[in-house]
Amino acid sequence: MKTNFEEAKSRIKLCRSKNSKSLNLSGLGLNPGELIDLMPSIKKASSLEKLDLSKNEIFALPDEIGGLGDLKLKSLNLSDNGLTYIPSGIKNLKRLESLDVSKNSLENVPKEMVRLPKLEELYISGNKLKEIPAGISKLENLKKLKARDNLITTIPNEITLLSNLKDLGLGDNHISSFPSSIGNLTKLKVLDLDSNGINELPSSFRKLVNLEHLYLMENNLKEISEDIGRFTKLEYLDLGKNELSALPEGMKNLTRLQTLDISDNEIERIPSRIIRGLTNLETLMASGNALETLSADIGRLTKLKELYLSENALVALPEEIGRLSKLKSLYVNHNELTELPEQIKGLTNLKKADFSFNELTYLPPQIGKCTNLEMLNMTNNSLTAIPEHIGFCKKLKQLSFYNNKIEVLPPQIGLLTKVKELMLSDNRLTNLPLQLTLLKNLNVLSLGGNSIPTEQINALRTHFQQDPIVLSNLMATEENKDHRGILATIFKENSDHLYDRIQSLDLGTFKDAHGSDISTKEVIFSFLEGVPVLSKGPNLFIAPAKEVLNELLSPDRSSDALKDLLQQIAVTEGDCSTPIKSFLIQKAVSMQQRNPDAFPQFDLMITREAVEATINQKLGGLLTSDSEKIEQVQALANSIFLKGAEKNESNMILIKGERERLPSKTENLEYGFELVNRDLADEFAKVFCKTGADGKALKRDGSYFLDPEKLIESKEAYYANSLGIVTERERRVNNFAGAMQEALMEHDHLLSCFDKPDVLEFLDANRLKDGIRNALRGVEDSKVENEFNKYLAQKQSQVATLAEKYKETPDQQPTASTSTASRDVPDLQRMGDSRVERRSDMREGQPEERRHRSERHGGHSERRRHHSERHEGATESRTHHSERHGERSERRVRRSDREDGTSRSHVRRH
């Protein structure tokens, strides 16, 4: 297999032989020394116009880069490298039209960069810049300037001299004011100023009449001038997360507007005149305001496809809403609705509807006319029945009636054969229709908190015996928390005695995952409810659950030991059962350590636990908030282990290859898969699937290919790091790292050679370990020792050669032949950590929410707190999924996609 350096040489050779205009060396892990070695070959690519060196490790750009000035080079991409400065040689690239140095660690824009006379596009986002130099005005041909996500506090007056500028991105900085001459940028079409500290817009702003996209989200704006009406070419306007209490009437003139975001303000009404003027509007985001009514003129927005009205104070929807025949998404959750108009029958293209957390007592039968519905959320209302007309909504995949007052399910529920998630917990059901068994695509069925007879639950168990996913999520309860039944499944006998023992046990109270006090009995019963006792085939959780319960009910254990164990269990109990399942797997691991032969099925569980640990270690920076992180990790693991994951429409990580399977540890399958974006999927595939010479995961017909060796390595590392069990190969990995450290200590002057790229790989323990793992991957056990010794000798020889090469004292000035633009090279560990952190924060597609100013909304959020108190006690996390993945999710994605000058106005939300 070719090394990345050899792959780079191969690509250059191919580029030269075909006289190609483009050369892609992105993501090859090239360091400064390797780039210097490649430079002579690159210079011979006489037709080269576009060079991509992004996503490498070129933290110090060599002066030799200026030697490319003899080429026809028009585009140079140096993004995501860890660059701390740009050498003066950059000024020699006179033909350059596009320069991308975003996602680095630059603290200033060098004067040489503004001496590129033909430059039209400059990308400097994601650095540590505190200012834009006044010399920027010299770039007379500049059309696009992207400087998002820096530390910029002021905008120089000179920027307004860029008369050809069409796209200016200054979002996510610390800007509070503008030069008064900002209006001189009359050719501007895109202006991104979101996530700053802007209090008001200058009067000259009114001159920017050619604007098509304007982003002002997350500032301190209290009002918008009537001059906004002059921007008649606007197609996208984002005013979300400010302090607006009213909208200017001038907005009625924005007849070309397609997307309007006014969410998270303090707006009490949207004037009818404005609504009537927005004739081309396709998306309206108005969640998180103080709206009490919605104008009947909303029905005039006949092109509207998405409408978000969550977290307001709406008591009704106008009948005219039924005229929105193109509407696909309607979110009105967390309001005060008492009824839905019958005219919703006109929403024939509606796919997603969320009416959760309202005061609805009746779902009109006209809902059956919404035949394209795929998701309907009626959670936390006061419904007493589900209309039989629901059976006409045959495209439904997610259906939630959690926490209502429903007494009977209509038999027509069996017509919804595409439903994957059916949430019916906490109602008043006493009987289940036989037609439930027709739901052949069901993944999740939640029935907890009802009074369903045990025999009906057992009948469902029998029917769904072919589907372990449903079984592992079917909550068996007496009222449906059948603790006796779960005990009988785990222990087979004496379950009544054990039940009575639990009832009598009282060792005080314990803190659950939310910090609430729960009794001894509640800890144990909640634990029982989280044990998936219904899985098909060899159950992976019963044995560890049995051991835990035996420990709890043992008369021989001390009171203190029991309290410690109860507290360990209590902190796993919250809104979902995933932590309990993880706790059981850890117990299974402990059991296998004591007796590996007694529990062979646990080996697969350990492998999955290792995969999850590896995900958290290597991909942690790409995961989102704590509340979503668990589900992301489970979704990634499910893509490997879950039977049928390859056929799940929401799963973008399709993996081929033989392997044993496990049931999901989480109930939220669809939700978890939808949290995985393309960047996270690609990085995950690199870690566990087969990769090519370029380091990227191999992919064919949309599928990756599982690499069993990587699973083994993951498990061995997990054994060593988490369990203290070191396998033979992992022992060799550690021995290798130790031997290399000894080799370096023999030539300790190398330890200071941070400016020598060929030495760097030996100073990084993780790179050394990955190197030996790669060398031993796929090697037969009988040949491991020989390969290990050969690789060790090779690396020790390289260290000796380097020691001779750099035998001068570390503080001696490097010669021209060995220098690799080592000026101001930062501390190695700090440099490495910052690069990882930066890439984690800024990888495309990831949220960039660094400075949310939610505290600004303290005043009007009191109303929302009061509103949410109406639903206090509802804790099931699934009920919040649509809220979490509503318009806020789109805004995060939209922000990170804005670097190309457009906005992803068509991103769809959960």
Side-chain angles (χ1 to χ4, degrees):
M1 181 180 292
K2 291 188 292 188
T3 66
N4 285 349
F5 181 68
E6 290 169 339
E7 173 66 19
K9 291 197 294 184
S10 177
R11 293 186 187 184
I12 296 170
K13 183 177 179 180
L14 182 63
C15 172
R16 289 167 53 188
S17 65
K18 292 189 174 183
N19 288 321
S20 176
K21 295 182 179 181
S22 178
L23 175 58
N24 183 3
L25 299 178
S26 175
L28 294 179
L30 300 174
N31 60 44
E34 290 172 329
L35 180 58
I36 290 176
D37 292 340
L38 293 172
M39 205 58 80
S41 296
I42 297 176
K43 290 179 183 179
K44 294 178 182 178
S46 56
S47 299
L48 191 62
E49 294 183 4
K50 182 178 181 180
L51 176 59
D52 188 350
L53 291 167
S54 64
K55 299 180 180 179
N56 282 290
E57 297 178 8
I58 311 170
F59 57 87
L61 190 65
D63 280 323
E64 285 83 349
I65 195 73
L68 301 180
D70 296 331
L71 300 176
K72 301 175 182 178
L73 199 63
K74 294 181 179 180
S75 174
L76 177 60
N77 188 347
L78 295 165
S79 64
D80 204 357
N81 269 293
L83 288 170
T84 55
Y85 75 99
I86 303 294
S88 59
I90 197 77
K91 67 178 182 294
N92 296 328
L93 307 181
K94 301 295 185 182
R95 295 182 176 88
L96 212 58
E97 296 177 1
S98 176
L99 176 60
D100 189 345
V101 291
S102 59
K103 302 179 184 178
N104 282 292
S105 297
L106 301 174
E107 296 186 358
N108 57 70
V109 177
K111 59 184 179 181
E112 289 82 5
M113 196 181 291
V114 297
R115 295 179 181 176
L116 301 172
K118 294 190 176 182
L119 201 65
E120 296 182 0
E121 298 178 357
L122 177 58
Y123 301 87
I124 52 177
S125 296
N127 282 284
K128 300 177 181 178
L129 305 175
K130 295 181 180 179
E131 63 179 3
I132 296 176
I136 195 79
S137 61
K138 296 177 181 179
L139 300 176
E140 297 177 355
N141 292 304
L142 201 65
K143 296 179 181 178
K144 180 183 289 189
L145 174 59
K146 293 295 189 180
R148 285 185 56 84
D149 193 16
N150 279 288
L151 306 172
I152 300 168
T153 55
T154 59
I155 303 173
N157 286 318
E158 287 78 2
I159 204 170
T160 64
L161 300 176
L162 299 173
S163 57
N164 289 303
L165 200 62
K166 295 182 179 181
D167 187 339
L168 177 58
L170 295 170
D172 215 354
N173 279 287
H174 301 290
I175 300 167
S176 58
S177 61
F178 300 90
S180 58
S181 54
I182 190 73
N184 293 343
L185 300 176
T186 55
K187 291 186 179 181
L188 268 185
K189 292 185 176 183
V190 178
L191 180 55
D192 174 9
L193 297 169
D194 76 21
S195 302
N196 280 285
I198 301 169
N199 296 308
E200 60 180 352
L201 302 174
S203 58
S204 65
F205 208 79
R206 65 196 300 271
K207 298 179 182 179
L208 306 179
V209 293
N210 286 305
L211 279 177
E212 296 176 2
H213 291 246
L214 177 57
Y215 304 94
L216 293 168
M217 182 192 82
E218 204 171 347
N219 281 287
N220 300 323
L221 297 171
K222 291 183 171 59
E223 63 178 0
I224 298 295
S225 167
E226 290 291 342
D227 289 333
I228 193 77
R230 294 170 54 87
F231 301 163
T232 55
K233 295 181 181 180
L234 266 185
E235 297 176 1
Y236 201 113
L237 177 58
D238 190 344
L239 300 172
K241 284 199 171 184
N242 279 284
E243 300 174 15
L244 304 175
S245 57
L247 298 176
E249 189 170 331
M251 286 180 63
K252 67 183 180 182
N253 298 326
L254 306 183
T255 55
R256 293 189 186 182
L257 201 64
Q258 296 176 14
T259 299
L260 174 61
D261 187 346
I262 54 172
S263 57
D264 292 303
N265 281 284
E266 301 171 9
I267 299 168
E268 296 183 357
R269 71 185 189 95
I270 305 175
S272 295
R273 290 185 180 181
I274 292 178
I275 293 177
R276 289 197 296 267
L278 305 180
T279 52
N280 282 294
L281 201 65
E282 296 182 0
T283 300
L284 174 58
M285 290 176 272
S287 293
N289 281 288
L291 299 175
E292 295 184 358
T293 59
L294 186 63
S295 169
D297 287 304
I298 195 73
R300 293 173 177 260
L301 304 182
T302 55
K303 294 184 179 181
L304 202 64
K305 296 179 181 179
E306 299 176 88
L307 179 57
Y308 299 89
L309 298 166
S310 306
E311 294 187 28
N312 280 286
L314 296 171
V315 295
L317 294 176
E319 296 179 355
E320 289 76 8
I321 202 166
R323 297 177 184 173
L324 305 179
S325 59
K326 293 185 178 180
L327 197 67
K328 293 183 178 181
S329 296
L330 175 60
Y331 286 79
V332 204
N333 48 297
H334 289 83
N335 277 278
E336 300 173 11
L337 299 178
T338 56
E339 63 179 359
L340 296 177
E342 296 179 356
Q343 286 75 12
I344 62 171
K345 65 184 179 182
L347 305 181
T348 53
N349 281 298
L350 193 63
K351 290 187 176 183
K352 296 182 179 181
D354 191 341
F355 301 110
S356 61
F357 290 87
N358 280 285
E359 299 173 5
L360 299 169
T361 58
Y362 174 72
L363 180 60
Q366 287 80 7
I367 193 71
K369 295 289 185 178
C370 301
T371 54
N372 282 299
L373 260 185
E374 295 180 3
M375 186 277 284
L376 176 61
N377 190 354
M378 302 298 300
T379 292
N380 270 83
N381 280 284
S382 299
L383 301 177
T384 57
I386 300 174
E388 60 184 26
H389 300 75
I390 196 75
F392 291 110
C393 302
K394 295 183 179 180
K395 294 184 179 180
L396 271 171
K397 296 179 182 178
Q398 295 170 278
L399 184 59
S400 179
F401 287 97
Y402 164 70
N403 199 20
N404 279 277
K405 300 176 181 178
I406 299 167
E407 298 178 358
V408 178
L409 290 182
Q412 288 81 2
I413 200 91
L415 298 174
L416 307 179
T417 56
K418 292 187 177 181
V419 163
K420 296 182 178 182
E421 295 184 12
L422 178 57
M423 316 306 293
L424 297 167
S425 296
D426 292 337
N427 279 283
R428 299 178 180 177
L429 297 173
T430 57
N431 190 47
L432 296 176
L434 184 63
Q435 288 80 2
L436 270 182
T437 60
L438 300 176
L439 304 183
K440 58 186 179 182
N441 286 302
L442 198 61
N443 284 344
V444 178
L445 174 59
S446 174
L447 294 169
N450 287 286
S451 300
I452 302 166
T454 302
E455 57 268 21
Q456 291 195 7
I457 293 293
N458 290 335
L460 283 177
R461 294 178 188 172
T462 302
H463 174 76
F464 286 114
Q465 202 66 45
Q466 299 302 314
D467 195 336
I469 303 174
V470 176
L471 289 174
S472 66
N473 290 292
L474 181 58
M475 302 292 189
T477 55
E478 164 194 49
E479 258 201 53
N480 219 326
K481 291 182 177 152
D482 185 7
H483 302 129
R484 292 181 189 269
I486 298 173
L487 284 168
T489 303
I490 295 174
F491 286 94
K492 306 300 181 186
E493 55 187 25
N494 294 326
S495 58
D496 288 340
H497 170 72
L498 295 171
Y499 180 81
D500 293 339
R501 174 96 172 88
I502 294 171
Q503 288 280 21
S504 64
L505 197 62
D506 185 6
L507 293 171
T509 60
F510 302 87
K511 298 290 186 182
D512 68 6
H514 299 297
S516 302
D517 289 329
I518 54 177
S519 68
T520 303
K521 181 173 65 174
E522 289 173 327
V523 172
I524 300 176
F525 283 149
S526 293
F527 171 74
L528 286 175
E529 292 161 22
V531 179
V533 296
L534 302 170
S535 295
K536 177 188 176 186
N539 192 292
L540 305 175
F541 300 96
I542 286 180
K546 185 175 183 179
E547 174 151 314
V548 170
L549 290 166
N550 278 332
E551 292 177 17
L552 285 173
L553 303 176
S554 170
D556 300 328
R557 298 203 70 179
S558 69
S559 175
D560 288 342
L562 287 174
K563 288 180 179 180
D564 287 344
L565 180 56
L566 284 164
Q567 186 55 61
Q568 289 179 46
I569 297 172
V571 297
T572 69
E573 297 170 355
D575 295 341
C576 69
S577 60
T578 301
I580 292 178
K581 294 173 185 175
S582 295
F583 175 77
L584 288 172
I585 287 184
Q586 291 286 355
K587 175 61 70 172
V589 169
S590 174
M591 294 170 72
Q592 192 198 30
Q593 288 180 38
R594 296 197 306 268
N595 189 352
D597 296 331
F599 305 102
Q601 71 268 36
F602 289 152
D603 184 64
L604 191 56
M605 296 171 65
I606 295 172
T607 303
R608 177 172 177 130
E609 190 73 8
V611 166
E612 293 177 18
T614 303
I615 292 169
N616 280 301
Q617 177 191 359
K618 294 190 175 182
L619 306 178
L622 297 177
L623 303 174
T624 54
S625 65
D626 289 341
S627 61
E628 297 174 342
K629 181 177 179 179
I630 291 176
E631 301 302 341
Q632 284 179 307
V633 172
Q634 293 307 316
L636 294 170
N638 279 340
S639 68
I640 293 178
F641 294 102
L642 182 63
K643 182 179 180 181
E646 302 85 358
K647 299 178 181 179
N648 190 300
E649 294 178 2
S650 299
N651 179 21
M652 68 170 62
I653 313 175
L654 309 181
I655 300 177
K656 292 183 177 180
E658 292 297 322
R659 69 269 198 192
E660 294 183 74
R661 304 292 184 138
L662 283 171
S664 173
K665 286 168 58 180
T666 176
E667 299 174 2
N668 308 315
L669 299 175
E670 302 293 327
Y671 174 54
F673 282 137
E674 290 179 3
L675 287 175
V676 177
N677 61 35
R678 174 50 57 194
D679 282 335
L680 182 54
D682 288 342
E683 292 301 315
F684 172 77
K686 287 181 188 178
V687 176
F688 293 105
C689 297
K690 295 183 183 296
T691 51
D694 59 357
K696 295 182 179 179
L698 298 176
K699 196 173 185 182
R700 186 178 303 140
D701 298 329
S703 295
Y704 301 102
F705 303 90
L706 187 67
D707 190 334
E709 291 287 337
K710 291 183 177 179
L711 283 183
I712 293 173
E713 290 172 7
S714 176
K715 184 171 70 172
E716 290 181 343
Y718 179 73
Y719 270 126
N721 298 331
S722 300
L723 308 177
I725 301 174
V726 182
T727 63
E728 179 62 23
R729 292 199 183 213
E730 199 62 21
R731 182 183 64 79
R732 291 185 183 276
V733 168
N734 292 331
N735 288 347
F736 174 78
M740 293 310 301
Q741 184 176 12
E742 290 178 8
L744 286 168
M745 293 302 291
E746 291 178 10
H747 311 286
D748 58 357
H749 65 279
L750 289 177
L751 299 176
S752 301
C753 293
F754 298 128
D755 59 334
K756 308 299 187 292
D758 45 359
V759 177
L760 282 180
E761 68 169 292
F762 296 101
L763 301 180
D764 188 333
N766 289 327
R767 286 177 66 178
L768 287 172
K769 288 183 177 182
D770 285 342
I772 185 62
R773 288 192 183 107
N774 290 335
L776 298 181
R777 184 176 298 152
V779 177
E780 297 177 10
D781 290 342
S782 61
K783 300 179 180 179
V784 166
E785 184 174 359
N786 183 54
E787 286 297 320
F788 173 82
N789 291 331
K790 187 195 313 184
Y791 188 80
L792 176 59
Q794 175 189 344
K795 292 299 177 182
Q796 287 174 330
S797 175
Q798 289 179 11
V799 169
T801 302
L802 291 171
E804 181 65 23
K805 180 179 179 181
Y806 301 119
K807 61 184 177 182
E808 65 268 19
T809 56
D811 57 349
Q812 182 175 333
Q813 182 68 22
T815 64
S817 61
T818 60
S819 175
T820 55
S822 58
R823 310 163 187 76
D824 303 320
V825 177
D827 174 74
L828 176 66
Q829 183 61 47
R830 180 169 56 83
M831 177 196 72
D833 291 345
S834 66
R835 184 158 64 245
V836 171
E837 179 181 344
R838 189 188 66 258
R839 289 179 181 173
S840 298
D841 288 343
M842 302 176 188
R843 196 171 297 278
E844 294 179 3
Q846 293 301 303
E848 298 178 8
E849 299 174 285
R850 291 196 309 169
R851 300 186 301 276
H852 282 308
R853 300 179 174 84
S854 57
E855 61 271 17
R856 294 204 308 259
H857 302 288
H860 81 101
S861 65
E862 182 64 34
R863 175 189 57 77
R864 292 186 215 161
R865 285 197 295 273
H866 171 73
H867 176 59
S868 64
E869 287 170 2
R870 293 186 289 115
H871 307 291
E872 189 174 1
T875 60
E876 185 162 316
S877 63
R878 288 183 300 273
T879 63
H880 300 289
H881 294 167
S882 60
E883 175 189 359
R884 286 199 298 242
H885 281 269
E887 56 273 31
R888 287 176 177 77
S889 178
E890 172 172 334
R891 193 182 303 125
R892 292 197 298 267
V893 173
R894 191 176 68 240
R895 238 202 281 180
S896 61
D897 283 336
R898 209 173 294 151
E899 288 304 307
D900 61 0
T902 62
S903 116
R904 190 183 288 186
S905 59
H906 300 292
V907 171
R908 295 296 169 254
R909 310 173 180 87
H910 183 288

